[in-house]
């Protein structure tokens, strides 16, 4: 279908592109560390950097830190401009490194003054490394151009949740986010689409009407042809006609499009919203249609799937899971650390023993004791310090997450109160055409499915059933 | 004429025409559309317009020939329809027949307008309370760390510890209030949540005034802070109070309706 040609997702990016993004980010981060070190050296008045230090710092910041971090952040999101920028930057850095090599040669080393000592940096080797890596990047991007830089008319879905839905086929409509021409396959030009969207009507004078799933226009049922299809008066696509001739529960002037899956009543496209299908082996569908009443979940007893639940437990779960993740990192660190420490201890004991043996008398015992104390300090103090740092980090992160969650919940609640969280099929279609991208139909975290049924997980779970034909087959 | 593409009237998906005399289903959303030669009437009563499609045999029927069932798919309850043919009934046994009588007796469409009002009043009050608590935390942190008022704020070990702990408790209380305020929209829970809302409201008000006095806000250095906080707080308390009173009244009516429906259908031992 033409849908795949029009909409790409974040999951379509090649692995190489992802690696380029990560590598660029790493370069940027290392350069940032170097930049901070340089600035500290300048501020601290380290001799040798006072004169040319600021120039190096600015060059480092503008030439490496900012471009690497910015481009690296965007290049792996399937953004055409970022890919162009990356190629240009790669060429630029190759040129710079080449000029450097021409003047100073490969053996050039720079003694970086770090307080009392000085660190030897093999700038020449670094330049060669940069030339190789950036040349590889530029070549890769040019060779894989079609995969890494989608044409400007292709919409790339970067929201992972929606991208997942597109990949698995869960969007309110399999149509492209633009109008389809009468042949049912190609998309109309923007001008034609605009013209149709402007003239199309949502009422007719000739009795019950069918709402077009392509443009939303209303074509009277009297125009249904002998083969039970209907050509839309406005955009010309050939629509199927709903099996039962029952009007929408809320709009007697429209033929119902289909049933609400929850209450079973008949509704038109303006009264139904699409939701993700349940997780159940017997359900093979990609979409659930739900009317506004069932969406609001007011009737619990017989038919309701949803209920209003504030995810307070989730807020704590999130915070708690971060805590446990920090704990996990720490535990892992302790494991590795103690494994290393065993050898260090062994080595030190031997060292201490040899110190004692060699010295033989007097203060040599003190020397051994000093070595031991130093090791004990290292064994105890380093993990303790790292633990404290991690804990402080967690203490800062967790309230932040918690409050971000509270603000999110408040926004969801406002949507529920103002009844703006119900996005009907026709609204979703029109929004999609207006924006040129599939409308977001994220389900509110406050409207969770709630109710267990006595059959749940019992004898029927996993059994295939004939009633499945009611629901969509996976093709 | 050979029709190549029929668009689903619901989702716009492609519909392959497999049966000319039977309902075809959209490949994408499973919505039924008519086959090209199909009659629109009940397959058993040719003079009546069909109103449902049997989910087992995919034939069309009028109201007389069908039954509704409720089926559980992964915790979501859906209504499915089957005709009264023996095979179709057998195949639908796993789903529970829908109790239409009970559903009609507990119909509460009469409360739609008042419920919308109640949800908006309590919801708005609760959202304002939530925002209020968030602003309260920020202003207390400001008072603690950026003004001279910090001397008047209580502490255990570190400056600000009591303030922050109590503020987080206040945030939680307002979140619980919001949670309860949204429940007034669900028929079965309206009465209960109305009453609980009143209790939480009293607790929240007492807790907040207690905090204000404990934090010595009466002598805080920003002259407009106290009137602003108190005004916003009072406004949301009034909203939630009115909403919870209405919810209790309407919820009690619904409670009686539920009870009488159960008694009428013999679903309960009480009378
Ligand atoms: Zn149309
Ligand atoms: Zn419904
Ligand atoms: Zn409608
Ligand atoms: Zn469909
Ligand atoms: Zn049947
Ligand atoms: Zn019949």
């Amino acid at each position: 279908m033409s849908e795949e040609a029009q909409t790409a997702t974040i999951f379509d990016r090649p692995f190489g592109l992802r690696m380029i993004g990560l590598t660029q980010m790493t370069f940027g981060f290392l350069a940032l560390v170097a930049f901070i070190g340089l600035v500290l050296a300048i501020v601290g008045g380290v001799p040798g950097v006072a004169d040319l230090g600021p120039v190096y710092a600015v060059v480092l910041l503008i030439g490496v830190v900012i471009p690497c971090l910015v481009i690296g952040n965007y290049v792996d999101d399937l953004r055409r401009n970022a890919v162009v920028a990356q190629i240009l930057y790669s060429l630029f850095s190759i040129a710079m490194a080449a000029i450097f090599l021409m003047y100073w040669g490969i053996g050039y080393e720079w003694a970086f003054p770090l307080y009392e000592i000085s660190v030897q940096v093999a700038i020449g080797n670094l330049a060669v490394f940069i030339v190789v890596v950036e040349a590889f990047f530029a070549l890769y991007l040019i060779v894989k151009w079609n995969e890494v830089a989608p044409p400007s008319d292709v919409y790339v879905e970067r929201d992972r949740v929606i991208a997942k839905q597109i990949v698995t086929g869960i969007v309110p409509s399999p149509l492209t986010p633009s109008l389809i021409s009468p042949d049912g396959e190609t998309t109309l030009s923007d001008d034609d689409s605009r013209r149709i969207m402007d003239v199309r009507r949502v009422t007719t004078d000739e009795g019950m009407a069918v709402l077009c799933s392509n443009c939303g226009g209303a074509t009277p049922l009297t125009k249904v042809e002998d083969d039970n299809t209907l050509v839309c008066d406005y955009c010309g696509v050939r629509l199927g006609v709903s099996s039962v001739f029952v009007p929408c529960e809320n709009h007697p002037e429209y033929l119902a499009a289909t049933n609400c899956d929850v209450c079973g009543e008949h509704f038109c496209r303006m009264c139904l919203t699409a939701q993700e299908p349940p997780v159940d082996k017997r359900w093979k569908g990609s979409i659930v249609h739900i009317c506004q009443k069932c969406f609001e979940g007011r009737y619990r007893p017989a038919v309701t799937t949803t209920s209003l639940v504030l995810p307070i437990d989730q807020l704590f779960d999130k915070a708690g899971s971060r805590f446990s993740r920090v704990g996990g990192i720490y535990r892992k660190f302790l494991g590795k650390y103690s494994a290393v420490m065993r050898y260090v201890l062994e080595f030190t004991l031997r060292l201490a023993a040899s110190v004692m043996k060699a010295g033989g008398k007097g203060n040599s015992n003190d020397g051994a004791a000093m070595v031991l104390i130093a090791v004990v300090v290292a064994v105890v103090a380093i993990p303790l310090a790292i633990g404290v740092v991690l804990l402080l980090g967690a203490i800062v992160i967790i309230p932040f997450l918690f409050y971000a969650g509270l603000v999110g919940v408040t926004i969801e609640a406002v949507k529920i109160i103002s009844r703006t969280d119900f996005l009907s099929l026709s609204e979703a279609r029109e929004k999609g055409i207006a924006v040129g991208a599939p409308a977001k139909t994220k389900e509110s975290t406050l409207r969770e499915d709630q109710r267990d049924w006595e059959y749940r997980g019992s004898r029927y779970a996993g059994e295939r059933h004939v009633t499945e034909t009611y629901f969509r087959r996976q093709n | 004429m050979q029709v190549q593409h029929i668009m689903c009237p619901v989702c716009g998906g492609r519909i392959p025409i497999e049966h000319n005399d039977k309902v075809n289903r959209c490949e994408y959303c499973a919505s039924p559309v008519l086959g090209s030669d199909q009659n629109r009437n009940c397959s058993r009563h040719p003079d009546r317009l069909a109103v449902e499609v049997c989910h087992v045999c995919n034939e069309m029927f009028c109201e007389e020939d069908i039954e509704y069932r409720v089926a559980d798919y992964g915790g979501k309850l859906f209504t499915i329809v089957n005709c009264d043919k023996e095979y179709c009934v057998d195949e639908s046994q796993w789903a529970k027949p829908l109790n239409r009588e009970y559903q009609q007796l507990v119909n509460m469409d009469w409360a739609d307008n008042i419920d919308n009002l109640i949800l908006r009043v309590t919801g708005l009050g609760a959202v304002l309370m939530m925002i209020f608590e968030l602003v309260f935390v920020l202003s207390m942190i400001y008072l603690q760390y950026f003004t001279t008022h910090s001397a008047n704020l209580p502490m255990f070990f570190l400056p600000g510890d009591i303030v922050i702990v109590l503020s987080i408790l206040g945030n939680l209380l307002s979140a619980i209030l919001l949670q309860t305020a949204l429940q007034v929209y669900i028929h079965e829970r309206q009465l209960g949540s109305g009453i609980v809302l009143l209790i939480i409201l009293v607790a929240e008000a007492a807790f907040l005034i207690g905090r204000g006095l404990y934090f010595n806000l009466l002598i805080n250095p920003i002259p407009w802070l106290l009137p602003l906080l108190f005004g916003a707080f009072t406004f949301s308390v009034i909203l939630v109070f009115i909403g919870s009173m209405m919810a209790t009244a309407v919820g009690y009516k619904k409670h009686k309706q539920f009870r009488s429906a159960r008694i009428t259908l013999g679903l309960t031992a009480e009378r």
Side-chain angles (χ1 to χ4, degrees):
Chain A
M1 245 191 316
S2 51
E3 180 204 351
E4 281 96 280
Q6 290 293 316
T7 309
T9 69
I10 192 80
F11 300 120
D12 293 336
R13 61 184 173 186
F15 179 71
L17 189 64
R18 181 115 186 78
M19 290 321 291
I20 291 179
L22 285 176
T23 316
Q24 283 300 114
M25 292 284 279
T26 313
F27 285 167
F29 181 72
L30 291 178
L32 182 67
V33 171
F35 169 75
I36 291 170
L38 201 53
V39 168
L40 287 180
I42 295 165
V43 171
V46 175
V49 293
D51 44 353
L52 270 178
V55 180
Y56 286 140
V58 170
V59 168
L60 201 59
L61 184 68
I62 294 175
V64 185
V65 176
I66 292 175
C68 280
L69 286 180
V70 172
I71 297 175
N73 186 28
Y74 285 112
V75 75
D76 56 358
D77 288 352
L78 292 177
R79 291 175 201 266
R80 202 182 170 84
N81 294 338
V83 170
V84 173
Q86 174 62 50
I87 293 173
L88 290 179
Y89 182 73
S90 291
L91 295 178
F92 166 77
S93 44
I94 291 169
M96 285 297 120
I99 291 172
F100 178 90
L101 286 174
M102 257 162 53
Y103 276 93
W104 285 284
I106 196 164
Y108 188 84
E109 292 204 348
W110 183 35
F112 184 78
L114 196 70
Y115 298 98
E116 301 308 310
I117 48 171
S118 79
V119 179
Q120 293 289 321
V121 186
I123 303 268
N125 291 350
L126 188 66
V128 173
F129 177 71
I130 287 173
V131 169
V132 172
V133 170
E134 294 292 340
F136 176 74
F137 284 179
L139 264 178
Y140 178 89
L141 292 178
I142 291 168
V143 169
K144 293 246 180 183
W145 175 254
N146 286 331
E147 278 175 59
V148 298
S152 49
D153 61 329
V154 169
Y155 172 76
V156 180
E157 181 56 65
R158 297 187 179 87
D159 185 317
R160 284 170 168 279
V161 176
I162 298 172
K164 197 93 194 273
Q165 291 182 353
I166 290 174
V167 168
T168 51
I170 307 156
V171 277
S173 163
L175 293 171
T176 60
S178 50
L179 278 193
I180 303 290
S181 72
D183 68 8
E185 288 218 358
T186 50
T187 52
L188 283 175
S189 72
D190 283 352
D191 280 348
D192 285 340
S193 301
R194 205 171 306 118
R195 198 173 41 75
I196 288 169
M197 293 302 276
D198 283 345
V199 300
R200 123 213 105 108
R201 300 272 174 277
V202 284
T203 49
T204 65
D205 303 329
E206 301 164 62
M208 206 160 33
V210 175
L211 291 176
C212 174
S213 53
N214 185 30
C215 71
T219 309
L221 256 190
T222 48
K223 297 200 176 169
V224 171
E225 291 171 16
D226 288 341
D227 61 352
N228 285 328
T229 62
L230 175 101
V231 173
C232 172
D233 271 352
Y234 304 96
C235 67
V237 298
R238 189 173 285 275
L239 294 167
V241 178
S242 154
S243 55
V244 287
F245 278 51
V246 177
C248 166
E249 193 77 4
N250 303 333
H251 302 99
E253 66 271 32
Y254 303 129
L255 182 71
T258 193
N259 303 65
C260 165
D261 283 325
V262 174
C263 64
E265 304 280 5
H266 300 273
F267 291 99
C268 72
R269 296 186 78 249
M270 300 205 286
C271 303
L272 290 168
T273 190
Q275 283 202 347
E276 276 188 57
V279 182
D280 190 303
K281 277 185 184 168
R282 289 167 307 182
W283 180 279
K284 297 287 176 185
S286 71
I287 272 187
V288 168
H289 293 121
I290 293 184
C291 73
Q292 173 130 24
K293 236 182 207 166
C294 295
F295 176 80
E296 286 170 349
R298 304 181 60 199
Y299 283 93
R300 272 188 83 231
V303 289
T304 303
T305 56
T306 55
S307 183
L308 300 168
V309 179
L310 208 60
I312 291 182
D313 52 333
Q314 278 178 33
L315 294 181
F316 282 109
D317 268 7
K318 218 175 222 173
S321 76
R322 292 301 146 106
F323 233 131
S324 63
R325 190 180 296 175
V326 170
I329 292 172
Y330 189 53
R331 209 168 29 240
K332 227 181 229 168
F333 162 77
L334 280 187
K336 291 262 162 64
Y337 189 76
S338 57
V340 173
M341 274 306 128
R342 230 185 53 215
Y343 298 108
V344 174
L345 267 182
E346 241 176 64
F347 172 75
T348 336
L349 285 177
R350 258 186 233 137
L351 187 76
S354 68
V355 167
M356 263 188 280
K357 242 181 252 161
K361 55 178 174 338
N363 57 0
S364 64
N365 260 341
D366 290 352
M370 285 302 284
V371 171
L372 272 179
I373 287 170
V375 168
V376 168
V377 165
V379 168
V380 177
I382 291 178
L384 209 65
I386 289 178
V388 167
V389 167
L390 283 176
L391 194 67
L392 285 178
I395 286 171
V396 172
I397 290 170
I398 284 159
F400 186 77
L401 280 175
F402 179 71
Y403 277 103
L406 279 186
V407 171
V409 160
T410 312
I411 292 170
E412 299 274 7
V414 168
K415 278 193 199 159
I416 286 174
I417 293 162
S418 59
R419 278 186 129 182
T420 47
D421 59 341
F422 182 88
L423 183 71
S424 75
L425 295 174
S426 59
E427 279 169 343
R429 177 75 180 139
E430 269 167 47
K431 268 192 188 169
I433 290 170
V435 181
K440 298 197 177 195
T441 54
K442 205 180 122 204
E443 283 174 43
S444 165
T445 50
L446 264 59
R447 292 193 188 277
E448 279 202 308
D449 47 83
Q450 243 267 310
R451 191 175 156 90
D452 287 327
W453 191 253
E454 52 194 282
Y455 287 154
R456 178 156 197 186
S458 64
R459 52 202 163 121
Y460 296 103
E463 208 175 279
R464 279 182 66 89
H465 210 275
V466 185
T467 38
E468 266 176 31
T469 53
Y470 165 55
F471 307 109
R472 178 188 171 253
R473 293 149 298 155
Q474 204 104 51
N475 22 315
Chain B
M1 193 195 91
Q2 193 65 35
V3 173
Q4 284 178 323
H5 283 118
I6 293 187
M7 226 182 230
C8 171
V10 185
C11 70
R14 176 201 295 260
I15 297 183
I17 301 297
E18 287 167 10
H19 319 286
N20 290 337
D21 54 345
K22 252 190 182 179
V23 159
N24 295 279
R25 302 250 175 207
C26 168
E27 272 190 351
Y28 188 77
C29 73
S31 299
V33 306
L34 288 172
S36 47
D37 303 328
Q38 199 176 5
N39 195 302
R40 295 160 202 173
N41 291 339
C42 171
S43 61
R44 194 171 298 160
H45 307 91
D47 53 330
R48 297 185 199 164
L49 209 56
V51 295
E52 293 291 355
V53 178
C54 170
H55 292 166
V56 181
C57 65
N58 269 347
E59 279 179 45
M60 288 163 54
F61 292 97
C62 70
E63 196 86 53
E64 197 181 292
D65 317 317
I66 46 169
E67 49 190 39
Y68 293 89
R69 288 168 190 270
V70 180
D72 166 48
Y73 284 95
K76 292 195 174 190
L77 290 187
F78 294 141
T79 300
I80 60 174
V81 176
N82 61 279
C83 70
D84 56 6
K85 278 187 289 193
E86 205 181 324
Y87 174 73
C88 298
V89 173
D90 278 353
E91 290 293 349
S92 308
Q93 283 301 328
W94 65 288
K96 212 173 180 173
L98 179 66
N99 194 341
R100 275 264 147 150
E101 280 172 285
Y102 181 73
Q103 216 187 2
Q104 272 153 17
L105 282 175
V106 298
N107 181 305
M108 286 165 186
D109 288 350
W110 57 269
D112 276 356
N113 288 331
I114 184 81
D115 280 355
N116 280 335
L117 183 70
I118 293 174
L119 176 72
R120 272 167 193 64
V121 171
T122 44
L124 182 66
V127 164
L128 286 179
M129 191 72 88
M130 195 98 167
I131 296 171
F132 170 84
E133 281 286 356
L134 290 172
V135 171
F136 189 79
V137 180
L138 291 178
S139 44
M140 285 313 112
I141 288 173
Y142 178 75
L143 283 183
Q144 175 72 60
Y145 297 110
F146 300 98
T147 68
T148 53
H149 189 68
S150 56
N152 297 323
L153 289 170
M155 62 176 257
F156 276 129
F157 308 112
L158 301 164
D161 53 1
I162 291 184
V163 171
I164 288 172
V165 167
L166 289 185
S167 299
I168 288 176
L169 282 179
N171 282 121
L172 269 184
L173 201 56
S174 70
I176 294 168
L177 188 87
L178 179 64
Q179 153 94 354
T180 318
L182 293 177
Q183 305 302 315
V184 299
Y185 205 44
I186 295 161
H187 296 310
E188 266 191 334
R189 297 184 189 163
Q190 192 167 34
L191 179 62
S193 52
I195 295 168
V196 173
L197 205 54
L198 270 178
I199 297 168
I200 298 176
L201 190 65
V202 171
E204 162 79 33
F207 185 47
L208 193 94
I209 292 170
R211 263 182 295 167
L213 294 175
Y214 190 31
F215 295 169
N216 291 311
L217 290 188
L218 289 174
I219 52 165
N220 87 81
I222 310 168
W224 47 264
L225 184 65
L226 194 63
L228 182 83
L229 288 179
F230 197 72
F233 174 70
T234 315
F235 182 58
S236 37
V237 165
I238 290 172
L239 280 180
V240 176
F241 181 73
I242 294 172
S244 61
M245 293 307 270
M246 287 198 291
T248 312
V250 178
Y252 182 62
K253 242 174 150 178
K254 287 179 186 166
H255 177 73
K256 282 199 294 191
Q257 192 181 342
F258 276 122
R259 228 180 75 122
S260 78
R262 279 197 292 270
I263 291 172
T264 311
L265 297 178
L267 296 172
T268 170
E270 53 181 319
R271 43 180 67 246

